[in-house]
Structure formats: C-alpha cells, structure tokens
Amino acid sequence: MLLGVGGMAAVYAGTHRNGTRAALKILHPELSTHADIRSRFFREGRVGNTIGHPGGVKVSDEDEAEDGSIYLVMELLDGESLEVMLRSGRAFSPRQIVDIGIQTCSGLAFAHDVGVVHRDVKPDNIVLVPHRDDDGRPCELVKVCDFGLAKLRTGTDQDGRESELTMAGALCGSPAYMSPEQLLGEPLDARSDIHALGVALYEALSGGKFPHEGEGLTDLFVKKLTGTPTPLSIHVPHVDR
C-alpha cells in the first residue's frame, strides 16, 4: 500500500519476510542512475542505525532489486508528521510544543554526539506516533525521520567524496527552516539543526507563521540573513517567554 511520495522516493507499507510489518522506501527510478543520490539514499539507513535512539527510524535492510529498484526496508511508523497535523488544522498547546521540542532535541542530540548533522529538520520530518508512557497513559512518541541529507562530522561521504550543500545543482534542504550559515553554504554543526527545529516549533505554535517570511526565495533569503525575526508574541500574544 502506498503511504506517500516525496521528491526522492515513494514509501509503501508491506510485510517483511520475517513476518513483521515494515515500510519500503523506493528511490524514484529516474534518480537511481545518479551515483551521488544513490549514495545519499543508502546513507540514510546507515546513519539512522548509527544513532541508535528510540526517536530514530530503524532500517533493517538496503539493497538493489533485480529490476534495478533501489530500496530501504524501514520501521513502519503508525503515526502522522507534524506537517500533516498542522495542515489538517490541529492546534498545539505550548505544553505540547515543549514536549515535542524536548523529544526532538533528544533524538538530534544522539545524532550530534556521533557526528551527524541532520540538515533538513522540518515538520514533515517530525512524526508523532501514538504511544503510552511508563504509567500506561496515552502519549505521543516523536520520531525524527529522513537523514538522507545528513552531514557527517568528517565532512565526507563514506565513499570519500566531500559532502556539498548542493546536489545536482539544487539547494539541499528546506529554505524556510534553514539557518543563515546553511543558506550561505558555510560549514554546519548542531546549531543549524537547532535553528531549524526552532522555526518548526514557532510555526506549530503560531498556527503556520514563520519568524521570517518573504515574497519569493530571494526576498526570504535576504530577510533570513539580515532581518530581525518577528517575535512569536506578535502571533501568540499570551505565549510564555
């Protein structure tokens, strides 16, 4: 069953040969001939497993099928992304936003500790899964997804080539959430992920607003690089400082 289609891959729900339910992420055929894209796609699985945190997505297999399809077999998440929830009109209280932020920071901290910078933190990559806490009460577990654009501490991919901000001449990442240094193509560290998460939580709490908004990408980039962010209190007057 098709779960969703993104710019690089389609994701299907299926059953692993060991009997467990799994997600099958298949790289789009037109991209599978590009060595750099294939490398990034496979690296997503390796990076996710390296982090080893409950807030990450486990990858059990990666391979190329006989028909040339490139795929990852991943943990199937029974939840929805923060992006989908926001677009469906769900409102979040400040307390819920703090909980989502703490859980996401926990997952990112494990990644940063092993030298991985996500580089594409945004609501679409923050998935909330129904769960129960230690006392059996319903809660939501945050999963940080899609490490396909992750930057390694060494600055190189596992095949030894330098990781670049651009891929096939395109900017890698989501401009609305990018830090100024990422827009400029400068070296990145954990702070860029924290910046992106801050923008995502600002958006969730404000009901879809951003700290910087522009008319087109050029205007957005200029404002993000030189402008003052709009205080959250403008959109949510009674928010706790």
Side-chain angles (χ1 to χ4, degrees):
M1 180 179 73
L2 179 65
L3 297 177
V5 180
M8 289 185 62
V11 181
Y12 297 83
T15 302
H16 194 275
R17 57 191 170 207
N18 63 15
T20 61
R21 294 284 287 165
L24 188 67
K25 187 171 185 177
I26 304 177
L27 186 65
H28 294 323
E30 64 271 19
L31 300 178
S32 62
T33 58
H34 296 270
D36 56 343
I37 297 179
R38 287 165 58 106
S39 176
R40 288 178 184 273
F41 186 75
F42 282 136
R43 189 177 64 183
E44 177 182 354
R46 294 191 292 269
V47 169
N49 288 341
T50 298
I51 293 168
H53 184 271
V57 180
K58 298 179 179 65
V59 176
S60 58
D61 202 0
E62 61 176 51
D63 208 346
E64 180 175 352
E66 292 183 1
D67 64 358
S69 299
I70 307 297
Y71 67 88
L72 299 175
V73 180
M74 314 175 72
E75 174 185 1
L76 181 62
L77 301 182
D78 183 22
E80 290 186 322
S81 71
L82 183 58
E83 172 79 11
V84 169
M85 292 181 176
L86 291 174
R87 297 299 165 254
S88 67
R90 175 171 168 178
F92 291 89
S93 70
R95 182 175 295 276
Q96 289 172 312
I97 294 299
V98 168
D99 181 58
I100 292 170
I102 289 172
Q103 290 194 59
T104 307
C105 280
S106 178
L108 289 174
F110 268 67
H112 299 154
D113 284 347
V114 296
V116 174
V117 181
H118 189 289
R119 298 204 304 175
D120 198 22
V121 177
K122 59 183 178 180
D124 201 35
N125 289 333
I126 299 172
V127 175
L128 278 60
V129 178
H131 194 60
R132 289 189 179 274
D133 64 19
D134 293 340
D135 297 319
R137 294 171 298 193
C139 63
E140 289 178 311
L141 178 66
V142 171
K143 292 278 190 175
V144 182
C145 304
D146 202 349
F147 278 84
L149 295 182
K151 178 85 169 180
L152 308 182
R153 176 181 292 151
T154 59
T156 61
D157 288 334
Q158 293 200 6
D159 59 6
R161 292 182 297 105
E162 184 177 359
S163 297
E164 299 290 351
L165 180 64
T166 56
M167 180 174 64
L171 194 65
C172 284
S174 304
Y177 307 94
M178 284 182 176
S179 63
E181 60 269 23
Q182 190 169 5
L183 291 174
L184 293 171
E186 296 177 352
L188 305 182
D189 59 28
R191 292 171 292 182
S192 280
D193 284 347
I194 298 302
H195 175 100
L197 175 59
V199 175
L201 298 181
Y202 181 112
E203 178 189 8
L205 192 53
S206 67
K209 303 295 184 180
F210 291 89
H212 295 96
E213 296 187 349
E215 298 293 334
L217 282 180
T218 300
D219 187 35
L220 175 63
F221 287 2
V222 169
K223 288 180 177 177
K224 286 177 72 73
L225 292 171
T226 64
T228 301
T230 302
L232 182 59
S233 59
I234 296 295
H235 307 299
V236 192
H238 303 297
V239 68
D240 188 284
R241 288 177 63 90

